[in-house]
Amino acid sequence: MTATITALVRYALVGVVNAATYYLVYLAVLGEVGYLTAHIVGLGAAMVVSFFLNCRVTFRVRPSWRRFLLYPASQAVNIAATTIGVVALVTLGVDERIAPLAAAVLAVPASFLAARFVLSHQREVRVPAPVPVFDPDPATLRLTVVRR
């Protein structure tokens, strides 16, 4: 499997845990607030869990404050798609307890691409690899390493 497909499979597995986190929080607060508020609270809780799992499991990068602060931006597509999906599905008569699950499935591919961009495409200072060159001094004829 290619690295992208492997990461997508890991992302999907993390997504199952994330969806469970979201759904449990959503159901826990649904009785106290409306479905839209429950959706937003569930997304917030799930986003924190998702960040740490995607850093460690999916993209295998170290969590950092910079990544943590950028992560919600990567999930803007997911949040928009699931929110529009939940409202549309509930408006169409789908049960409030089922609508978030269907909306979440539809948002997975775009969400993966956005998360991969934010979490694994960080600016890195790369030091060029040493280049072996022959010392021009014919008396020593030794191999030296010169950093360029």
Side-chain angles (χ1 to χ4, degrees), residues 23-34:
Y23 196 55
L24 290 172
V25 172
Y26 176 85
L27 290 177
V29 299
L30 182 60
E32 304 298 320
V33 298

Side-chain angles (χ1 to χ4, degrees), residues 1 3 14-15 24 30-31 36 42 64-65 67 74 88-89 91 95 102 105-106 108 114 127 140-141 143:
M1 276 199 270
V14 166
L24 290 172
L30 182 60
L36 192 54
S64 68
W65 281 109
R67 286 184 171 114
S74 77
L89 291 169
T91 301
D95 188 296
V105 169
L106 298 174
V108 169
V127 178
T140 59
L141 289 177
L143 182 64

Side-chain angles (χ1 to χ4, degrees), residues 3 6-7 42 48 51 58-59 67 69-70 75 82 85 91-92 99 131:
T6 302
V48 173
F51 168 75
T58 304
F59 302 109
R67 286 184 171 114
L69 293 174
L70 289 173
Q75 296 301 297
T82 58
T91 301
L92 292 171
V131 178

Side-chain angles (χ1 to χ4, degrees), residues 41-60:
V41 171
L43 281 175
M47 191 174 303
V48 173
V49 171
S50 177
F51 168 75
F52 287 105
L53 289 176
N54 277 312
C55 280
R56 293 293 188 182
V57 176
T58 304
F59 302 109
R60 302 193 176 172

